[in-house]
Amino acid sequence: MNPKWFFSAFAALVLLGIPFLVSGHGYPLGSIAVRHPWAAPTQTTTGSGYLGLKNRGARDDKLVSASTAIAAKAELYTLTKTDAGLKIEPVDAIAIPAGEEIRLKPGGPYIQFSDLKQPLAEGDRFPVLLKFQNAGEIIVEMFVQKNEKSSIY
Ligand SMILES: [Cu+2]
Protein backbone atom coordinates (compact mmCIF):
# COMPACT_ATOMS: atom_id res chain seq x y z
CA MET A 1 0.00 0.00 0.00
CA ASN A 2 1.17 3.52 -0.78
CA PRO A 3 2.36 4.87 2.61
CA LYS A 4 1.01 8.33 1.83
CA TRP A 5 -2.44 6.94 1.12
CA PHE A 6 -2.31 4.83 4.26
CA PHE A 7 -1.44 7.85 6.36
CA SER A 8 -4.34 9.86 4.89
CA ALA A 9 -6.79 7.04 5.52
CA PHE A 10 -5.55 6.72 9.08
CA ALA A 11 -5.87 10.45 9.67
CA ALA A 12 -9.41 10.39 8.29
CA LEU A 13 -10.35 7.52 10.59
CA VAL A 14 -8.93 9.37 13.59
CA LEU A 15 -10.85 12.51 12.67
CA LEU A 16 -14.06 10.57 12.15
CA GLY A 17 -13.50 8.52 15.28
CA ILE A 18 -13.00 11.33 17.76
CA PRO A 19 -16.61 12.61 17.89
CA PHE A 20 -17.84 9.03 18.21
CA LEU A 21 -15.53 8.30 21.12
CA VAL A 22 -16.46 11.50 22.91
CA SER A 23 -20.19 11.00 22.60
CA GLY A 24 -20.16 7.25 23.32
CA HIS A 25 -22.40 4.58 21.83
CA GLY A 26 -25.65 5.78 20.36
CA TYR A 27 -28.84 4.72 18.63
CA PRO A 28 -30.87 6.58 16.01
CA LEU A 29 -34.66 6.25 16.15
CA GLY A 30 -36.45 8.47 13.65
CA SER A 31 -35.68 12.03 14.68
CA ILE A 32 -34.51 10.96 18.14
CA ALA A 33 -30.89 10.06 18.85
CA VAL A 34 -30.24 8.11 22.06
CA ARG A 35 -26.71 8.68 23.28
CA HIS A 36 -24.53 6.67 25.60
CA PRO A 37 -26.97 4.89 27.92
CA TRP A 38 -25.19 4.05 31.17
CA ALA A 39 -25.97 3.15 34.77
CA ALA A 40 -24.00 3.57 37.96
CA PRO A 41 -22.81 0.45 39.84
CA THR A 42 -24.96 -0.32 42.91
CA GLN A 43 -24.52 -1.95 46.30
CA THR A 44 -28.26 -2.50 46.60
CA THR A 45 -31.13 -3.51 44.35
CA THR A 46 -32.05 0.06 43.40
CA GLY A 47 -30.20 1.71 40.51
CA SER A 48 -30.18 4.76 38.27
CA GLY A 49 -29.92 4.90 34.48
CA TYR A 50 -28.77 7.83 32.39
CA LEU A 51 -28.60 8.76 28.70
CA GLY A 52 -28.76 11.62 26.24
CA LEU A 53 -31.83 12.25 24.08
CA LYS A 54 -31.46 14.53 21.11
CA ASN A 55 -34.50 15.56 19.11
CA ARG A 56 -33.41 16.42 15.58
CA GLY A 57 -37.00 16.72 14.39
CA ALA A 58 -39.41 19.64 14.04
CA ARG A 59 -41.93 18.37 16.58
CA ASP A 60 -41.69 17.79 20.30
CA ASP A 61 -41.43 14.26 21.60
CA LYS A 62 -41.45 12.58 25.01
CA LEU A 63 -39.78 9.60 26.61
CA VAL A 64 -42.85 7.86 28.04
CA SER A 65 -41.42 4.68 29.56
CA ALA A 66 -38.43 2.46 30.13
CA SER A 67 -38.36 -1.20 31.04
CA THR A 68 -35.80 -3.94 31.52
CA ALA A 69 -35.88 -7.63 32.37
CA ILE A 70 -33.24 -7.17 35.07
CA ALA A 71 -35.47 -5.03 37.33
CA ALA A 72 -39.07 -5.39 38.51
CA LYS A 73 -39.67 -1.71 37.81
CA ALA A 74 -38.10 1.08 35.78
CA GLU A 75 -39.57 4.54 36.39
CA LEU A 76 -38.86 8.00 35.06
CA TYR A 77 -37.85 10.52 37.70
CA THR A 78 -37.08 14.20 37.67
CA LEU A 79 -35.01 16.10 40.14
CA THR A 80 -35.72 19.78 40.54
CA LYS A 81 -34.27 22.41 42.83
CA THR A 82 -36.83 24.21 44.95
CA ASP A 83 -36.50 26.70 47.80
CA ALA A 84 -37.07 23.80 50.19
CA GLY A 85 -34.27 21.75 48.62
CA LEU A 86 -34.14 19.07 46.00
CA LYS A 87 -37.42 17.56 44.95
CA ILE A 88 -37.21 14.07 43.47
CA GLU A 89 -40.41 12.69 42.01
CA PRO A 90 -41.66 10.13 39.49
CA VAL A 91 -43.09 11.59 36.28
CA ASP A 92 -45.25 10.22 33.47
CA ALA A 93 -42.86 11.38 30.76
CA ILE A 94 -39.69 13.32 30.08
CA ALA A 95 -40.17 15.98 27.39
CA ILE A 96 -37.69 16.26 24.51
CA PRO A 97 -38.53 19.55 22.77
CA ALA A 98 -37.86 19.84 19.01
CA GLY A 99 -34.24 20.71 18.30
CA GLU A 100 -33.08 20.15 21.88
CA GLU A 101 -30.94 17.63 23.69
CA ILE A 102 -32.05 16.40 27.10
CA ARG A 103 -29.54 14.65 29.30
CA LEU A 104 -30.56 12.16 31.95
CA LYS A 105 -27.64 12.48 34.34
CA PRO A 106 -26.69 12.49 38.01
CA GLY A 107 -28.31 15.61 39.51
CA GLY A 108 -30.93 15.69 36.73
CA PRO A 109 -33.68 13.46 35.38
CA TYR A 110 -32.99 9.73 35.46
CA ILE A 111 -34.48 6.25 35.15
CA GLN A 112 -34.88 4.52 38.49
CA PHE A 113 -34.59 0.75 38.56
CA SER A 114 -36.29 -0.94 41.52
CA ASP A 115 -35.93 -4.54 42.69
CA LEU A 116 -32.93 -5.34 40.53
CA LYS A 117 -32.39 -9.10 40.34
CA GLN A 118 -28.83 -8.39 41.46
CA PRO A 119 -26.75 -5.29 42.14
CA LEU A 120 -25.25 -3.65 39.04
CA ALA A 121 -21.52 -4.30 38.74
CA GLU A 122 -19.07 -2.18 36.79
CA GLY A 123 -18.57 -3.70 33.33
CA ASP A 124 -22.07 -5.20 33.16
CA ARG A 125 -24.29 -4.37 30.20
CA PHE A 126 -28.04 -4.82 30.02
CA PRO A 127 -30.82 -4.06 27.53
CA VAL A 128 -33.44 -1.40 28.24
CA LEU A 129 -36.56 -0.84 26.16
CA LEU A 130 -37.33 2.86 25.69
CA LYS A 131 -40.70 4.07 24.41
CA PHE A 132 -41.30 7.50 22.92
CA GLN A 133 -44.60 9.21 22.26
CA ASN A 134 -43.83 9.84 18.57
CA ALA A 135 -40.57 8.12 17.62
CA GLY A 136 -41.71 4.64 18.70
CA GLU A 137 -39.56 2.26 20.70
CA ILE A 138 -36.03 0.93 20.75
CA ILE A 139 -33.89 -1.42 22.81
CA VAL A 140 -30.60 0.13 23.91
CA GLU A 141 -27.70 -1.39 25.79
CA MET A 142 -26.91 0.29 29.09
CA PHE A 143 -23.28 0.12 30.22
CA VAL A 144 -22.56 -0.04 33.96
CA GLN A 145 -19.72 2.30 34.80
CA LYS A 146 -18.57 4.59 37.64
CA ASN A 147 -19.48 7.82 35.88
CA GLU A 148 -20.39 9.15 32.48
CA LYS A 149 -16.79 9.73 31.45
CA SER A 150 -15.25 6.51 32.72
CA SER A 151 -15.85 4.67 29.44
CA ILE A 152 -15.22 5.60 25.85
CA TYR A 153 -17.83 3.14 24.60
CU1 LIG B 1 -21.51 4.86 25.35
Side-chain angles (χ1 to χ4, degrees), residues 61-112:
D61 207 339
K62 284 176 181 177
L63 175 64
V64 293
S65 74
S67 57
T68 176
I70 70 157
K73 267 201 300 192
E75 296 168 290
L76 307 176
Y77 270 73
T78 59
L79 197 147
T80 44
K81 282 180 187 139
T82 69
D83 291 340
L86 282 180
K87 196 165 110 183
I88 301 170
E89 56 188 351
V91 288
D92 290 337
I94 293 173
I96 320 158
E100 290 191 25
E101 178 162 15
I102 301 299
R103 291 205 77 87
L104 279 65
K105 62 185 180 188
Y110 65 100
I111 300 167
Q112 179 168 297

Coordinates of all heavy atoms in Angstrom, one line a residue, residues 61-112:
D61 N -41.2 15.7 21.3 CA -41.4 14.3 21.6 C -41.3 14.1 23.1 O -40.9 15.0 23.8 CB -40.4 13.4 20.8 CG -41.0 12.0 20.6 OD1 -41.9 11.6 21.3 OD2 -40.5 11.3 19.7
K62 N -41.6 12.9 23.6 CA -41.5 12.6 25.0 C -41.0 11.2 25.2 O -41.4 10.3 24.4 CB -42.8 12.6 25.7 CG -43.4 14.0 25.9 CD -44.8 13.9 26.5 CE -45.4 15.3 26.7 NZ -46.8 15.1 27.2
L63 N -40.1 11.0 26.2 CA -39.8 9.6 26.6 C -40.9 9.2 27.6 O -41.1 9.9 28.6 CB -38.4 9.6 27.3 CG -38.0 8.2 28.0 CD1 -37.9 7.1 26.9 CD2 -36.8 8.4 28.8
V64 N -41.7 8.2 27.2 CA -42.8 7.9 28.0 C -42.6 6.6 29.0 O -43.4 6.5 29.9 CB -44.1 7.7 27.2 CG1 -44.5 9.0 26.6 CG2 -44.0 6.6 26.1
S65 N -41.7 5.8 28.6 CA -41.4 4.7 29.6 C -40.1 4.0 29.3 O -39.5 4.1 28.2 CB -42.5 3.6 29.5 OG -42.5 2.8 28.4
A66 N -39.6 3.3 30.3 CA -38.4 2.5 30.1 C -38.7 1.2 30.8 O -39.5 1.1 31.8 CB -37.2 3.2 30.8
S67 N -38.2 0.1 30.3 CA -38.4 -1.2 31.0 C -37.2 -2.1 30.8 O -36.5 -2.0 29.7 CB -39.7 -1.9 30.6 OG -39.7 -2.1 29.3
T68 N -36.9 -3.0 31.7 CA -35.8 -3.9 31.5 C -36.1 -5.2 32.3 O -36.8 -5.2 33.3 CB -34.5 -3.3 32.0 OG1 -33.4 -4.3 31.9 CG2 -34.6 -2.9 33.5
A69 N -35.6 -6.3 31.7 CA -35.9 -7.6 32.4 C -35.1 -7.8 33.7 O -35.4 -8.7 34.5 CB -35.5 -8.8 31.4
I70 N -34.1 -7.0 33.9 CA -33.2 -7.2 35.1 C -33.8 -6.5 36.3 O -33.2 -6.6 37.4 CB -31.8 -6.7 34.8 CG1 -31.7 -5.2 34.7 CG2 -31.2 -7.4 33.6 CD1 -30.3 -4.7 35.0
A71 N -34.9 -5.7 36.2 CA -35.5 -5.0 37.3 C -37.0 -5.2 37.3 O -37.6 -5.2 36.2 CB -35.1 -3.5 37.3
A72 N -37.6 -5.3 38.5 CA -39.1 -5.4 38.5 C -39.7 -4.1 38.0 O -40.8 -4.2 37.3 CB -39.5 -5.6 39.9
K73 N -39.1 -3.0 38.3 CA -39.7 -1.7 37.8 C -38.6 -0.8 37.3 O -37.5 -0.8 37.8 CB -40.3 -1.0 39.0 CG -41.8 -1.3 39.1 CD -42.5 -0.2 40.0 CE -42.0 -0.1 41.4 NZ -43.0 0.8 42.2
A74 N -39.0 0.0 36.2 CA -38.1 1.1 35.8 C -39.0 2.3 35.7 O -40.0 2.2 35.0 CB -37.5 0.7 34.4
E75 N -38.7 3.4 36.4 CA -39.6 4.5 36.4 C -38.8 5.8 36.0 O -37.6 5.9 36.4 CB -40.2 4.7 37.8 CG -41.1 3.6 38.2 CD -41.4 3.7 39.7 OE1 -40.5 3.5 40.5 OE2 -42.6 4.1 40.0
L76 N -39.5 6.7 35.4 CA -38.9 8.0 35.1 C -39.0 8.9 36.2 O -40.1 9.1 36.8 CB -39.6 8.6 33.8 CG -39.7 7.7 32.6 CD1 -40.5 8.4 31.5 CD2 -38.3 7.3 32.1
Y77 N -37.9 9.6 36.6 CA -37.9 10.5 37.7 C -37.3 11.8 37.3 O -36.4 11.9 36.4 CB -37.0 10.0 38.8 CG -37.7 9.1 39.8 CD1 -38.2 7.9 39.5 CD2 -38.0 9.6 41.1 CE1 -38.9 7.1 40.4 CE2 -38.7 8.8 42.0 CZ -39.1 7.6 41.7 OH -39.8 6.8 42.6
T78 N -37.8 12.9 37.9 CA -37.1 14.2 37.7 C -36.6 14.7 39.0 O -37.1 14.3 40.1 CB -38.0 15.3 37.0 OG1 -39.1 15.5 37.9 CG2 -38.4 14.9 35.7
L79 N -35.6 15.5 38.9 CA -35.0 16.1 40.1 C -35.0 17.6 39.9 O -34.3 18.1 39.0 CB -33.6 15.5 40.2 CG -32.8 15.5 41.5 CD1 -32.0 14.3 41.6 CD2 -32.0 16.8 41.5
T80 N -35.7 18.3 40.7 CA -35.7 19.8 40.5 C -35.3 20.5 41.8 O -35.6 20.0 42.9 CB -37.1 20.3 40.1 OG1 -38.1 19.6 40.9 CG2 -37.4 20.0 38.6
K81 N -34.7 21.6 41.7 CA -34.3 22.4 42.8 C -35.4 23.3 43.2 O -36.0 24.0 42.4 CB -33.0 23.2 42.5 CG -31.8 22.4 42.5 CD -30.6 23.3 42.2 CE -29.3 22.4 42.1 NZ -28.5 22.8 41.0
T82 N -35.8 23.3 44.5 CA -36.8 24.2 45.0 C -36.2 25.0 46.1 O -35.1 24.7 46.6 CB -38.1 23.4 45.4 OG1 -37.7 22.7 46.6 CG2 -38.6 22.5 44.4
D83 N -37.0 26.0 46.6 CA -36.5 26.7 47.8 C -36.3 25.8 49.0 O -35.5 26.0 49.8 CB -37.5 27.8 48.1 CG -37.5 28.9 47.1 OD1 -36.5 29.0 46.3 OD2 -38.4 29.7 47.0
A84 N -37.1 24.7 49.1 CA -37.1 23.8 50.2 C -36.0 22.7 50.0 O -35.8 21.9 50.9 CB -38.4 23.1 50.4
G85 N -35.3 22.8 48.9 CA -34.3 21.8 48.6 C -34.6 21.0 47.3 O -35.3 21.5 46.5
L86 N -33.9 19.9 47.2 CA -34.1 19.1 46.0 C -35.4 18.3 46.1 O -35.7 17.6 47.1 CB -33.0 18.1 45.8 CG -31.7 18.7 45.3 CD1 -30.6 17.6 45.1 CD2 -31.9 19.3 43.9
K87 N -36.2 18.3 45.0 CA -37.4 17.6 45.0 C -37.2 16.5 43.9 O -37.0 16.7 42.8 CB -38.6 18.5 44.6 CG -39.9 17.9 44.8 CD -41.0 19.0 44.8 CE -41.9 18.8 43.6 NZ -42.9 19.8 43.4
I88 N -37.4 15.2 44.4 CA -37.2 14.1 43.5 C -38.6 13.4 43.4 O -39.2 13.0 44.4 CB -36.2 13.1 44.0 CG1 -34.8 13.8 44.2 CG2 -36.0 11.9 43.1 CD1 -33.8 13.0 45.0
E89 N -39.1 13.3 42.1 CA -40.4 12.7 42.0 C -40.6 11.9 40.7 O -40.0 12.3 39.7 CB -41.5 13.8 42.1 CG -41.3 14.9 41.1 CD -42.2 16.0 41.3 OE1 -43.2 15.9 42.1 OE2 -42.1 17.1 40.6
P90 N -41.4 10.9 40.7 CA -41.7 10.1 39.5 C -42.5 11.0 38.6 O -43.3 11.8 39.0 CB -42.4 8.9 40.0 CG -43.0 9.2 41.3 CD -42.1 10.3 41.9
V91 N -42.3 10.8 37.3 CA -43.1 11.6 36.3 C -43.6 10.6 35.2 O -43.0 9.6 35.0 CB -42.3 12.7 35.6 CG1 -42.0 13.8 36.6 CG2 -40.9 12.2 35.1
D92 N -44.7 11.0 34.5 CA -45.3 10.2 33.5 C -44.4 10.2 32.2 O -44.4 9.2 31.4 CB -46.6 10.7 33.1 CG -47.7 10.5 34.2 OD1 -47.4 9.6 35.0 OD2 -48.7 11.2 34.2
A93 N -43.6 11.3 32.0 CA -42.9 11.4 30.8 C -41.8 12.4 30.9 O -41.9 13.3 31.8 CB -43.8 11.8 29.6
I94 N -40.7 12.3 30.1 CA -39.7 13.3 30.1 C -39.7 14.0 28.7 O -39.5 13.3 27.7 CB -38.3 12.7 30.4 CG1 -38.3 12.2 31.9 CG2 -37.2 13.7 30.1 CD1 -37.1 11.5 32.3
A95 N -40.0 15.3 28.7 CA -40.2 16.0 27.4 C -38.8 16.2 26.7 O -37.8 16.4 27.3 CB -40.8 17.3 27.6
I96 N -38.9 16.0 25.4 CA -37.7 16.3 24.5 C -38.1 17.2 23.4 O -38.6 16.9 22.3 CB -37.2 15.0 23.8 CG1 -37.2 13.8 24.8 CG2 -35.7 15.2 23.3 CD1 -37.2 12.4 24.1
P97 N -38.0 18.5 23.7 CA -38.5 19.6 22.8 C -37.8 19.5 21.4 O -36.6 19.1 21.4 CB -38.3 20.9 23.5 CG -38.1 20.5 24.9 CD -37.5 19.2 25.0
A98 N -38.5 19.8 20.4 CA -37.9 19.8 19.0 C -36.6 20.6 19.0 O -36.5 21.7 19.6 CB -38.8 20.4 18.0
G99 N -35.5 20.0 18.4 CA -34.2 20.7 18.3 C -33.4 20.7 19.5 O -32.3 21.2 19.5
E100 N -33.9 20.1 20.6 CA -33.1 20.2 21.9 C -32.5 18.8 22.3 O -32.9 17.8 21.8 CB -34.0 20.7 23.0 CG -34.3 22.2 22.8 CD -34.9 22.7 24.1 OE1 -34.7 22.2 25.2 OE2 -35.6 23.7 23.9
E101 N -31.5 18.8 23.1 CA -30.9 17.6 23.7 C -31.2 17.6 25.2 O -30.8 18.6 25.9 CB -29.4 17.5 23.4 CG -28.9 16.2 24.0 CD -27.5 15.8 23.4 OE1 -26.9 16.6 22.7 OE2 -27.2 14.7 23.7
I102 N -31.8 16.6 25.7 CA -32.1 16.4 27.1 C -31.1 15.3 27.6 O -30.9 14.3 27.0 CB -33.5 15.9 27.3 CG1 -34.5 16.9 26.7 CG2 -33.8 15.6 28.8 CD1 -34.5 18.3 27.3
R103 N -30.5 15.6 28.7 CA -29.5 14.6 29.3 C -30.1 14.1 30.6 O -30.3 14.9 31.6 CB -28.2 15.3 29.5 CG -27.5 15.5 28.2 CD -25.9 15.6 28.3 NE -25.4 14.2 28.4 CZ -25.1 13.5 27.4 NH1 -25.2 13.9 26.1 NH2 -24.6 12.3 27.5
L104 N -30.3 12.8 30.7 CA -30.6 12.2 31.9 C -29.2 11.9 32.6 O -28.3 11.3 31.9 CB -31.3 10.8 31.7 CG -32.8 10.9 31.5 CD1 -33.1 11.7 30.2 CD2 -33.5 9.6 31.6
K105 N -29.0 12.5 33.8 CA -27.6 12.5 34.3 C -27.7 12.6 35.8 O -28.8 13.1 36.4 CB -26.8 13.6 33.7 CG -27.4 15.0 34.1 CD -26.7 16.1 33.4 CE -27.3 17.4 33.8 NZ -26.8 18.6 33.0
P106 N -26.7 12.3 36.6 CA -26.7 12.5 38.0 C -27.0 14.0 38.3 O -26.4 14.8 37.7 CB -25.3 12.1 38.4 CG -24.8 11.1 37.4 CD -25.4 11.6 36.1
G107 N -27.9 14.2 39.2 CA -28.3 15.6 39.5 C -29.4 16.1 38.6 O -29.8 17.3 38.7
G108 N -29.9 15.3 37.7 CA -30.9 15.7 36.7 C -31.9 14.6 36.6 O -32.0 13.7 37.5
P109 N -32.7 14.6 35.5 CA -33.7 13.5 35.4 C -33.0 12.1 35.2 O -31.8 12.1 34.8 CB -34.4 13.8 34.1 CG -33.6 14.9 33.4 CD -32.7 15.5 34.4
Y110 N -33.6 11.0 35.6 CA -33.0 9.7 35.5 C -34.1 8.6 35.4 O -35.2 8.9 35.6 CB -32.0 9.5 36.6 CG -32.7 9.4 38.0 CD1 -32.9 8.2 38.6 CD2 -33.0 10.6 38.7 CE1 -33.5 8.1 39.8 CE2 -33.6 10.5 39.9 CZ -33.9 9.2 40.5 OH -34.5 9.2 41.7
I111 N -33.6 7.4 35.1 CA -34.5 6.3 35.2 C -34.1 5.5 36.4 O -33.0 5.2 36.7 CB -34.3 5.4 33.9 CG1 -34.5 6.1 32.6 CG2 -35.1 4.1 34.0 CD1 -34.0 5.4 31.4
Q112 N -35.1 5.3 37.3 CA -34.9 4.5 38.5 C -35.3 3.1 38.3 O -36.4 2.8 38.0 CB -35.6 5.1 39.7 CG -35.4 4.4 41.0 CD -35.9 5.1 42.2 OE1 -35.4 6.2 42.5 NE2 -36.9 4.5 42.9

